Amino acid sequence: MLLWKSIPYRDILRQRGWILAFTLIALLRIYFCAQAPIETSDLYRHLGFTSHFLEFPRTFYWLVPTDFPDEFWSDFWSDQGYIYPPLALLFFSFFGTLGIGLFWVKIVLSLCDLVSALLIGRVVSKWAALLVFSAPISVWYTSHEGQYESLLTLLMVLSIFCARSGRWRLAGVAFMLALQAKQLGILIAPYLLFEIWHRTRPRQLRAARGFMIGFCTAFIPFLPFYWWRPDLWLLPLQNQENLLNPYYWPVFCSDLSMAHFDECSNFRVLWDFAASFTPIALLGLFLARGHFLRKLPQALPTLGFWVMIKSVAWVMNWYMIILPGCSFALWRYRRCLTALLVIYWLQCGQQVASIIGDIRIEEPATIARFKECIWLANYQSAVPLDSEMEK
């Protein structure tokens, strides 16, 4: 009798504990949004570069930062044009053109993480939602540094969520928008094809038709961008001329492969080795336990992500933020999905390594400029580094 009476109180305590943890993470994220980025200049560069879109819409993807030599942002990756798909361009152009400060952009991106977490939590569990929302890699690189992978994650989660519930037009729209946010959205394609294919024939045709209607309709607004720059979607391959990938396959011990780790501490390399091989091993065991052909398309988004990430030349820490969007394809297998989210929570070796002093930050003058742009900013202004140092 006493045990029976205690159960509701345990549930209440767990519920309150979840709410408290979620609230504390939300407050930490808001605080981080009000801080200047210190590791990366990407957010400021996005806003500065895209603030010129309305001036040069047809030729924008042919411009390079050296075309704007007097603007502060043009010092970052000065020889590289804008390599991100049109949705990213339009997203940042809205904020950059209006002069909206870094805080507001980071808040919107943090809200994307919040919605993704709640959608995953609705299907899996509230604790899965907490894992997604509180993951250190997302808390830091979205809310503090302003990386925009959370926008892609939300669109991937939305596409899977809509496919799961049979809302195929919306699934097609969300998938197309994901592809126009960042090319990594293509990773959930095997899952979406599986969801369509494994239905009975009349429902299969309706699903395919609805998905393609949504997919093609969502692509129409982006057609001019591909008319102006046909190879637009392949532009990120330019980055693969650089070498830096702390997740690279360590079994290849040639000088070229080891060059991927040149800027990484041994601690970080070991951490990233464990954090990247563990999900691969987990998914290998998952696929080995029967129903291989049924499970494979649902595991491919995450498995494909890791195979790709460990194989390319240039990888940044914040790419991992999209992992919940990939893992959500396994919603039928909650234990496996929850295990992947736990690994995701432990993902970023750079943040762990920073505790022991292994961190590289932007120049003091750059960080000072970012601090001035937290609330409002003219991203086209010229701010000499020397004048900032004097301040």
Side-chain angles (χ1 to χ4, degrees), residues 27-98:
L27 292 174
L28 176 63
R29 279 178 168 266
I30 293 171
Y31 171 76
F32 276 176
C33 286
Q35 306 304 304
I38 62 171
E39 278 192 49
T40 72
S41 58
D42 286 0
L43 177 58
Y44 192 93
R45 183 181 187 271
H46 274 297
L47 294 165
F49 209 154
T50 61
S51 69
H52 291 281
F53 169 65
L54 295 180
E55 303 170 39
F56 311 99
R58 291 177 176 272
T59 59
F60 183 81
Y61 275 105
W62 298 97
L63 299 174
V64 292
T66 50
D67 293 322
F68 310 95
D70 297 326
E71 298 182 13
F72 184 79
W73 65 269
S74 64
D75 287 332
F76 310 121
W77 296 85
S78 56
D79 295 325
Q80 186 177 82
Y82 200 75
I83 63 173
Y84 304 93
L87 184 61
L89 163 59
L90 295 173
F91 175 82
F92 288 110
S93 177
F94 171 78
F95 293 102
T97 303
L98 295 179

